Every structure is written in C-alpha cells, then in structure tokens.
Amino acid sequence: LPIGDSVRLSPGSPMLITGTNLGTGPNDVATVSIGNQMVGGEAAPVISFLNSSTLLAQVPVDFPTEPTAVTVTHNGITTAPISVTVAAYSPAIYDPGTSAFVDNAGNPITTAHQAIPGTQVTCSAIGLGPTNPPMLTGIAATTAAPTTTPVQVMVGTTAVIPSFAGLEVGSVTDYQVTFTIPENTPAAAQ
C-alpha cells in the first residue's frame, strides 16, 4: 500500500501481502513476521484476511526504522524474505474506495461531484507517523488521535495546513486529513 509497489513502510502502517496459499478464511490465516529472520522476527498482526491470496497486516508501531525483511508463514512453510525499508514516515494518500477525498457530508469527490474552493475536504492517508494518544499495534483508534508532527497538504501548488491530521476513529492504520480548499484554486484537476 498505497497503489504501487512501494517497499518503504513506517511503524503502524499497513502492508498488503499478496501471494498464494495464505489461508482458507478468518480462522486459518498465515502469520506475518517483520525483522531478522534468524531471531524469529517480530509478529506483524494480520488486520484482515481478504482471501487466500491477499492479507492486510500492520507494521508494529514499535518497530525500529531500518532496512529489514517481511516473511509469511502458513502450514509450516515460510516465504522467502521480501526486502523493505521501515522509515519514520511513509506518507501517502490512500484510496480505500470510490475516492480518497470526501466533502463535509461524506460524499466522494469525483469529476461529477467536485470540491469547491473555501470548503473542507477530508482525505484518507497512511504513514503519517506517531499520534497522541499513541497508535497501538493491532488496536483500532477509539478517539481522535492527532499526529505529533505537523502535516502539510498541497492543493495544486498551494501549501495548506490541515485543520486535523490524525488516526481515523475505528481504524488500526488509516489517518484522516481535513483541510480547506484554498479560495483561489482554479476549477480543474488538482
């Protein structure tokens, strides 16, 4: 995650694992490990079993920032390690559905329903780093948890400071970023 083949992750971020024979259902799911295979690595909780070839796992929030490897084990068989880099931040806009952006009423921003200058928009993001209260490995946020480092959004060539950037309530890995579209934003794709 996000769209593309990035191998840069951050503590707490999601990892989309694709392969074969990753399990038969929620009660039979492969395990994911990140870190030094020689000492067993650290468990990366599987957040969601999507199907036998796709799992969603989370990089543990206390994982050190370093180049490392991810392995998956099912029925005693472990994959070859996949190299990744865990960095303090790996910000990305995350598109979980129709659109990564919604208006104040929760309607997706699309070519048919465009954002309006001067109004607030919220987007989904991943990899924005630590929050307060802290993000917990494998546990969904139960309260608004803003990021501890400032977040900046670019709308076209204009920098915007969000009114909120933090963990999305009810999510284990996803952040929400709410910002106002600048008044002088031209009517065009940005």
Side-chain angles (χ1 to χ4, degrees), residues 68-150:
T68 191
V70 174
T71 58
V72 178
T73 302
H74 186 249
N75 286 338
I77 300 171
T78 300
T79 65
I82 302 296
S83 296
V84 298
T85 298
V86 177
Y89 306 95
S90 59
I93 294 173
Y94 174 49
D95 187 355
T98 307
S99 173
F101 301 88
V102 296
D103 64 15
N104 274 345
N107 299 309
I109 302 297
T110 64
T111 54
H113 180 76
Q114 299 178 2
I116 300 169
T119 63
Q120 283 196 330
V121 169
T122 298
C123 73
S124 296
I126 57 175
L128 300 183
T131 61
N132 185 17
M135 173 189 278
L136 300 172
T137 300
I139 306 292
T142 58
T143 186
T147 60
T148 57
T149 302

Coordinates of all heavy atoms in Angstrom, one line a residue, residues 68-150:
T68 N 14.9 -4.0 6.4 CA 14.6 -5.2 7.0 C 13.9 -6.2 6.0 O 13.9 -5.9 4.8 CB 13.7 -5.0 8.3 OG1 13.6 -6.2 9.0 CG2 12.3 -4.5 7.9
A69 N 13.2 -7.2 6.5 CA 12.6 -8.1 5.6 C 11.2 -8.6 6.2 O 11.1 -8.5 7.4 CB 13.4 -9.4 5.4
V70 N 10.3 -9.0 5.3 CA 9.0 -9.5 5.7 C 8.9 -10.9 5.2 O 9.3 -11.2 4.1 CB 7.9 -8.6 5.1 CG1 6.5 -9.2 5.4 CG2 7.9 -7.2 5.6
T71 N 8.4 -11.8 6.1 CA 8.1 -13.2 5.7 C 6.7 -13.5 6.1 O 6.1 -12.9 7.0 CB 9.1 -14.2 6.3 OG1 9.0 -14.1 7.7 CG2 10.5 -13.9 5.8
V72 N 6.1 -14.5 5.4 CA 4.8 -15.0 5.7 C 4.9 -16.5 5.9 O 5.6 -17.2 5.1 CB 3.8 -14.7 4.6 CG1 2.4 -15.2 4.9 CG2 3.7 -13.2 4.4
T73 N 4.2 -17.0 6.9 CA 4.3 -18.5 7.2 C 2.8 -19.0 7.2 O 2.0 -18.4 7.9 CB 5.0 -18.8 8.5 OG1 6.3 -18.2 8.4 CG2 5.1 -20.3 8.8
H74 N 2.6 -20.1 6.5 CA 1.3 -20.8 6.6 C 1.6 -22.3 6.5 O 2.4 -22.8 5.7 CB 0.4 -20.4 5.5 CG -1.0 -21.0 5.6 ND1 -1.5 -21.9 4.7 CD2 -2.0 -20.8 6.5 CE1 -2.7 -22.2 5.1 NE2 -3.0 -21.6 6.1
N75 N 1.0 -23.1 7.4 CA 1.1 -24.5 7.5 C 2.6 -24.9 7.5 O 3.0 -25.9 6.8 CB 0.4 -25.2 6.3 CG -1.1 -25.2 6.5 OD1 -1.6 -25.1 7.6 ND2 -1.8 -25.3 5.4
G76 N 3.4 -24.2 8.3 CA 4.8 -24.6 8.4 C 5.7 -24.2 7.3 O 6.9 -24.5 7.3
I77 N 5.2 -23.6 6.3 CA 6.0 -23.1 5.1 C 6.2 -21.6 5.1 O 5.2 -20.9 5.2 CB 5.4 -23.6 3.8 CG1 5.3 -25.1 3.8 CG2 6.2 -23.1 2.6 CD1 4.5 -25.7 2.6
T78 N 7.4 -21.2 5.1 CA 7.7 -19.7 5.1 C 8.2 -19.2 3.8 O 9.0 -19.9 3.1 CB 8.8 -19.5 6.2 OG1 8.3 -19.9 7.5 CG2 9.1 -18.0 6.3
T79 N 7.7 -18.1 3.4 CA 8.2 -17.5 2.1 C 9.6 -17.0 2.2 O 10.2 -16.9 3.3 CB 7.3 -16.2 1.8 OG1 7.6 -15.2 2.8 CG2 5.9 -16.5 1.7
A80 N 10.2 -16.8 1.1 CA 11.5 -16.1 1.0 C 11.3 -14.7 1.6 O 10.2 -14.1 1.4 CB 12.0 -16.1 -0.4
P81 N 12.3 -14.1 2.2 CA 12.1 -12.7 2.7 C 12.0 -11.7 1.6 O 12.7 -11.8 0.6 CB 13.4 -12.5 3.6 CG 14.3 -13.6 3.2 CD 13.6 -14.7 2.5
I82 N 11.1 -10.7 1.8 CA 10.9 -9.6 0.9 C 11.6 -8.4 1.6 O 11.2 -8.1 2.7 CB 9.4 -9.3 0.6 CG1 8.8 -10.6 0.0 CG2 9.3 -8.1 -0.2 CD1 9.3 -11.0 -1.3
S83 N 12.5 -7.7 0.9 CA 13.2 -6.6 1.5 C 12.3 -5.4 1.5 O 11.6 -5.0 0.5 CB 14.4 -6.3 0.7 OG 15.3 -7.3 0.8
V84 N 12.2 -4.7 2.6 CA 11.5 -3.4 2.8 C 12.4 -2.5 3.7 O 13.3 -2.9 4.3 CB 10.1 -3.6 3.5 CG1 9.2 -4.5 2.7 CG2 10.3 -4.2 4.9
T85 N 12.0 -1.2 3.6 CA 12.7 -0.2 4.5 C 11.6 0.3 5.4 O 10.5 0.7 4.9 CB 13.3 0.9 3.7 OG1 14.4 0.3 2.9 CG2 13.9 2.0 4.6
V86 N 11.8 0.3 6.7 CA 10.9 1.0 7.6 C 11.5 2.3 8.0 O 12.7 2.4 8.5 CB 10.7 0.1 8.9 CG1 9.8 0.8 9.9 CG2 10.1 -1.2 8.5
A87 N 10.8 3.4 7.7 CA 11.3 4.8 7.9 C 10.3 5.4 8.9 O 9.2 4.9 9.1 CB 11.3 5.5 6.6
A88 N 10.7 6.5 9.5 CA 9.9 7.2 10.5 C 8.5 7.6 9.9 O 7.5 7.5 10.6 CB 10.6 8.4 11.0
Y89 N 8.5 7.9 8.6 CA 7.3 8.4 7.9 C 7.3 7.8 6.5 O 8.3 7.6 5.9 CB 7.2 9.9 7.8 CG 7.4 10.6 9.1 CD1 8.6 11.1 9.6 CD2 6.3 10.8 10.0 CE1 8.7 11.7 10.8 CE2 6.4 11.4 11.2 CZ 7.6 11.9 11.6 OH 7.8 12.5 12.8
S90 N 6.1 7.4 6.0 CA 5.9 7.0 4.7 C 4.6 7.5 4.2 O 3.7 6.7 3.9 CB 6.0 5.5 4.5 OG 5.1 4.8 5.3
P91 N 4.4 8.9 4.1 CA 3.1 9.4 3.9 C 2.6 9.1 2.4 O 3.4 9.1 1.5 CB 3.3 10.9 4.0 CG 4.8 11.1 3.8 CD 5.5 9.9 4.2
A92 N 1.3 8.8 2.4 CA 0.7 8.5 1.1 C -0.8 8.7 1.2 O -1.4 8.4 2.3 CB 1.0 7.1 0.7
I93 N -1.4 9.2 0.2 CA -2.9 9.3 0.1 C -3.3 7.9 -0.2 O -2.8 7.2 -1.0 CB -3.3 10.3 -0.9 CG1 -2.9 11.7 -0.5 CG2 -4.8 10.2 -1.2 CD1 -3.2 12.8 -1.5
Y94 N -4.3 7.5 0.5 CA -4.8 6.1 0.5 C -6.2 6.1 0.0 O -7.1 6.8 0.5 CB -4.7 5.5 1.9 CG -5.3 4.1 2.0 CD1 -5.0 3.1 1.1 CD2 -6.2 3.8 3.0 CE1 -5.5 1.8 1.2 CE2 -6.7 2.5 3.2 CZ -6.3 1.5 2.3 OH -6.9 0.3 2.4
D95 N -6.5 5.3 -1.1 CA -7.8 5.3 -1.8 C -8.5 4.0 -1.4 O -8.3 3.0 -2.1 CB -7.6 5.5 -3.3 CG -8.9 5.6 -4.0 OD1 -10.0 5.5 -3.4 OD2 -8.8 5.9 -5.2
P96 N -9.3 4.0 -0.3 CA -9.9 2.8 0.1 C -11.2 2.5 -0.7 O -11.9 1.5 -0.4 CB -10.2 3.0 1.6 CG -10.4 4.4 1.7 CD -9.5 5.1 0.6
G97 N -11.7 3.3 -1.6 CA -13.0 3.1 -2.2 C -13.2 4.0 -3.4 O -12.2 4.1 -4.2
T98 N -14.3 4.6 -3.6 CA -14.7 5.4 -4.7 C -13.7 6.6 -4.9 O -13.3 6.9 -6.0 CB -16.1 6.0 -4.5 OG1 -17.0 4.9 -4.3 CG2 -16.5 6.7 -5.8
S99 N -13.3 7.2 -3.8 CA -12.4 8.3 -3.9 C -11.7 8.5 -2.5 O -12.2 8.1 -1.5 CB -13.2 9.6 -4.1 OG -12.3 10.8 -4.0
A100 N -10.4 8.9 -2.6 CA -9.7 9.2 -1.3 C -10.2 10.4 -0.6 O -9.8 10.7 0.5 CB -8.2 9.3 -1.6
F101 N -11.0 11.3 -1.3 CA -11.4 12.5 -0.8 C -12.9 12.6 -0.7 O -13.6 12.1 -1.5 CB -11.0 13.7 -1.7 CG -9.5 13.7 -1.9 CD1 -8.9 13.0 -2.9 CD2 -8.7 14.5 -1.1 CE1 -7.5 13.1 -3.1 CE2 -7.3 14.6 -1.2 CZ -6.7 13.8 -2.2
V102 N -13.4 13.2 0.5 CA -14.9 13.4 0.6 C -15.1 14.8 1.1 O -14.3 15.4 1.7 CB -15.5 12.4 1.7 CG1 -15.3 10.9 1.1 CG2 -14.8 12.5 3.0
D103 N -16.3 15.3 0.9 CA -16.7 16.6 1.4 C -17.2 16.5 2.8 O -17.2 15.4 3.4 CB -17.8 17.3 0.4 CG -19.1 16.5 0.3 OD1 -19.4 15.6 1.2 OD2 -19.9 16.8 -0.6
N104 N -17.7 17.6 3.4 CA -18.2 17.6 4.8 C -19.3 16.6 5.0 O -19.5 16.2 6.1 CB -18.6 19.0 5.2 CG -17.5 19.8 5.7 OD1 -16.4 19.3 6.0 ND2 -17.7 21.1 5.8
A105 N -20.1 16.3 4.0 CA -21.3 15.4 4.1 C -20.9 14.0 3.9 O -21.7 13.1 4.0 CB -22.4 15.8 3.2
G106 N -19.6 13.7 3.6 CA -19.1 12.4 3.4 C -19.3 11.9 1.9 O -19.1 10.7 1.6
N107 N -19.6 12.8 1.0 CA -19.8 12.5 -0.4 C -18.4 12.4 -1.1 O -17.6 13.3 -0.9 CB -20.7 13.5 -1.1 CG -22.1 13.6 -0.5 OD1 -22.7 12.5 -0.3 ND2 -22.5 14.8 -0.2
P108 N -18.2 11.4 -1.8 CA -16.9 11.3 -2.5 C -16.7 12.4 -3.5 O -17.6 12.8 -4.2 CB -16.9 10.0 -3.3 CG -18.0 9.2 -2.6 CD -19.0 10.2 -2.1
I109 N -15.5 13.0 -3.5 CA -15.1 14.0 -4.5 C -14.7 13.3 -5.8 O -13.8 12.4 -5.8 CB -13.9 14.9 -4.0 CG1 -14.2 15.5 -2.7 CG2 -13.5 15.9 -5.1 CD1 -15.4 16.5 -2.7
T110 N -15.5 13.5 -6.9 CA -15.3 12.9 -8.2 C -15.4 14.0 -9.2 O -15.7 15.1 -8.9 CB -16.3 11.8 -8.4 OG1 -17.6 12.4 -8.5 CG2 -16.3 10.7 -7.3
T111 N -15.2 13.6 -10.5 CA -15.4 14.6 -11.6 C -16.9 15.0 -11.6 O -17.2 16.1 -12.1 CB -15.0 14.0 -12.9 OG1 -15.7 12.7 -13.1 CG2 -13.5 13.7 -13.0
A112 N -17.8 14.2 -11.2 CA -19.2 14.6 -11.1 C -19.6 15.4 -9.9 O -20.6 16.1 -9.9 CB -20.1 13.3 -11.2
H113 N -18.8 15.2 -8.8 CA -19.1 16.0 -7.6 C -17.7 16.6 -7.1 O -17.0 15.9 -6.3 CB -19.6 15.0 -6.5 CG -19.9 15.7 -5.2 ND1 -21.0 16.5 -5.0 CD2 -19.2 15.7 -4.0 CE1 -20.9 17.0 -3.7 NE2 -19.9 16.5 -3.1
Q114 N -17.4 17.8 -7.6 CA -16.1 18.4 -7.4 C -16.0 19.1 -6.1 O -17.1 19.6 -5.6 CB -15.8 19.3 -8.6 CG -15.7 18.5 -9.9 CD -15.5 19.4 -11.1 OE1 -15.3 20.6 -10.9 NE2 -15.4 18.9 -12.3
A115 N -14.8 19.3 -5.6 CA -14.6 20.1 -4.4 C -14.8 21.5 -4.8 O -14.5 21.9 -5.9 CB -13.2 19.8 -3.9
I116 N -15.2 22.3 -3.8 CA -15.5 23.7 -4.0 C -14.5 24.6 -3.2 O -14.3 24.3 -2.0 CB -16.9 24.1 -3.6 CG1 -17.9 23.2 -4.5 CG2 -17.2 25.6 -3.7 CD1 -19.3 23.3 -4.0
P117 N -13.8 25.5 -3.9 CA -12.9 26.4 -3.1 C -13.6 27.0 -1.9 O -14.8 27.4 -1.9 CB -12.5 27.5 -4.1 CG -12.6 26.8 -5.4 CD -13.8 25.9 -5.3
G118 N -12.9 27.0 -0.7 CA -13.4 27.5 0.5 C -14.1 26.5 1.4 O -14.6 26.8 2.5
T119 N -14.3 25.3 0.9 CA -15.0 24.3 1.7 C -13.9 23.2 2.2 O -12.8 23.1 1.6 CB -16.0 23.5 0.8 OG1 -15.4 22.8 -0.2 CG2 -17.1 24.5 0.3
Q120 N -14.3 22.5 3.2 CA -13.4 21.5 3.8 C -13.6 20.2 3.0 O -14.6 19.8 2.6 CB -13.8 21.3 5.2 CG -13.2 22.4 6.1 CD -13.2 21.9 7.6 OE1 -14.0 21.1 8.0 NE2 -12.3 22.5 8.3
V121 N -12.4 19.5 2.9 CA -12.3 18.2 2.3 C -11.5 17.3 3.3 O -10.6 17.8 3.9 CB -11.6 18.3 0.9 CG1 -11.3 16.9 0.4 CG2 -12.5 19.1 -0.1
T122 N -11.9 16.0 3.3 CA -11.1 15.1 4.1 C -10.6 14.0 3.2 O -11.3 13.5 2.4 CB -12.0 14.5 5.2 OG1 -12.4 15.5 6.1 CG2 -11.3 13.5 6.1
C123 N -9.3 13.6 3.4 CA -8.8 12.5 2.7 C -8.3 11.4 3.6 O -8.0 11.7 4.8 CB -7.7 13.0 1.7 SG -6.1 13.4 2.5
S124 N -8.1 10.3 3.1 CA -7.6 9.1 3.8 C -6.1 9.1 3.5 O -5.7 9.3 2.3 CB -8.2 7.8 3.3 OG -9.6 7.8 3.7
A125 N -5.3 8.8 4.5 CA -3.8 8.7 4.3 C -3.3 7.6 5.2 O -3.9 7.1 6.1 CB -3.2 10.0 4.7
I126 N -2.0 7.2 4.9 CA -1.3 6.3 5.7 C 0.1 6.8 5.9 O 0.6 7.7 5.2 CB -1.3 4.8 5.1 CG1 -0.7 4.9 3.7 CG2 -2.7 4.2 5.0 CD1 -0.5 3.5 3.0
G127 N 0.8 6.2 6.9 CA 2.2 6.5 7.1 C 2.6 7.9 7.6 O 3.7 8.4 7.4
L128 N 1.7 8.5 8.4 CA 1.9 9.9 8.9 C 2.6 9.9 10.2 O 2.9 11.0 10.8 CB 0.6 10.7 9.0 CG -0.2 10.8 7.7 CD1 -1.4 11.7 7.9 CD2 0.7 11.4 6.6
G129 N 3.0 8.8 10.8 CA 3.8 8.8 12.0 C 3.0 8.7 13.3 O 1.8 8.5 13.3
P130 N 3.8 9.0 14.4 CA 3.2 8.9 15.7 C 2.0 9.9 16.0 O 1.9 10.9 15.3 CB 4.3 9.3 16.7 CG 5.6 9.1 15.8 CD 5.2 9.4 14.4
T131 N 1.2 9.4 16.9 CA 0.0 10.2 17.3 C -0.1 10.4 18.8 O 0.6 9.7 19.5 CB -1.3 9.5 16.8 OG1 -1.4 8.2 17.4 CG2 -1.3 9.4 15.3
N132 N -1.0 11.3 19.2 CA -1.2 11.5 20.7 C -2.7 11.5 20.9 O -3.4 12.4 20.5 CB -0.6 12.8 21.2 CG -0.7 12.9 22.7 OD1 -1.0 12.0 23.4 ND2 -0.5 14.1 23.1
P133 N -3.3 10.5 21.6 CA -2.6 9.4 22.2 C -2.0 8.5 21.2 O -2.4 8.5 20.0 CB -3.8 8.7 23.0 CG -5.0 9.1 22.4 CD -4.8 10.5 21.8
P134 N -1.0 7.7 21.6 CA -0.3 6.8 20.7 C -1.1 5.8 20.0 O -2.0 5.2 20.6 CB 0.8 6.2 21.6 CG 0.8 6.9 22.8 CD -0.5 7.5 23.0
M135 N -0.7 5.5 18.7 CA -1.3 4.4 18.0 C -0.8 3.1 18.6 O 0.3 3.1 19.1 CB -0.7 4.5 16.5 CG -1.1 3.3 15.6 SD -0.1 3.4 14.1 CE -1.1 4.5 13.1
L136 N -1.7 2.1 18.7 CA -1.3 0.8 19.3 C -1.3 -0.3 18.2 O -2.2 -0.3 17.3 CB -2.3 0.5 20.4 CG -2.4 1.4 21.5 CD1 -3.6 1.1 22.5 CD2 -1.1 1.5 22.3
T137 N -0.4 -1.2 18.2 CA -0.3 -2.2 17.3 C -1.5 -3.1 17.3 O -1.9 -3.6 18.4 CB 1.0 -3.1 17.5 OG1 2.1 -2.2 17.4 CG2 1.1 -4.2 16.5
G138 N -2.2 -3.3 16.2 CA -3.4 -4.2 16.1 C -4.7 -3.7 16.8 O -5.6 -4.4 16.8
I139 N -4.7 -2.5 17.3 CA -5.8 -1.9 18.0 C -6.4 -0.7 17.3 O -5.7 0.2 17.0 CB -5.5 -1.5 19.5 CG1 -4.8 -2.7 20.2 CG2 -6.7 -1.0 20.2 CD1 -5.6 -3.8 20.5
A140 N -7.7 -0.7 17.0 CA -8.4 0.4 16.4 C -8.4 1.6 17.3 O -8.6 1.5 18.5 CB -9.8 0.0 15.9
A141 N -8.3 2.8 16.7 CA -8.3 4.0 17.5 C -9.8 4.2 18.0 O -10.7 4.0 17.2 CB -7.9 5.2 16.6
T142 N -9.9 4.6 19.3 CA -11.3 4.8 19.8 C -11.6 6.3 20.0 O -12.7 6.6 20.4 CB -11.4 4.1 21.2 OG1 -10.4 4.5 22.1 CG2 -11.3 2.5 21.0
T143 N -10.6 7.1 19.8 CA -10.7 8.5 20.0 C -9.8 9.2 19.0 O -8.9 8.6 18.4 CB -10.4 9.0 21.4 OG1 -10.7 10.3 21.6 CG2 -8.9 8.7 21.7
A144 N -10.1 10.5 18.7 CA -9.3 11.3 17.8 C -7.9 11.3 18.3 O -7.7 11.6 19.5 CB -9.8 12.7 17.6
A145 N -6.9 11.0 17.4 CA -5.5 10.9 17.9 C -4.7 11.7 16.8 O -4.2 11.1 15.8 CB -5.0 9.5 17.9
P146 N -4.5 13.0 17.1 CA -3.8 13.8 16.1 C -2.3 13.4 16.0 O -1.7 12.8 16.9 CB -3.9 15.2 16.6 CG -4.4 15.1 18.0 CD -5.0 13.8 18.2
T147 N -1.7 13.6 14.8 CA -0.3 13.3 14.6 C 0.5 14.3 15.5 O 0.1 15.4 15.8 CB 0.1 13.6 13.1 OG1 -0.1 14.9 12.8 CG2 -0.6 12.6 12.2
T148 N 1.7 13.8 15.9 CA 2.6 14.6 16.7 C 3.5 15.5 15.9 O 4.2 16.4 16.5 CB 3.4 13.7 17.7 OG1 4.2 12.8 16.9 CG2 2.5 13.0 18.7
T149 N 3.6 15.2 14.6 CA 4.4 16.0 13.7 C 3.5 16.7 12.7 O 2.5 16.1 12.2 CB 5.4 15.1 12.9 OG1 6.2 14.4 13.9 CG2 6.2 15.9 12.0
P150 N 3.7 18.0 12.5 CA 2.8 18.7 11.6 C 2.7 18.1 10.2 O 3.7 17.5 9.7 CB 3.4 20.1 11.5 CG 4.2 20.2 12.7 CD 4.7 18.9 13.0

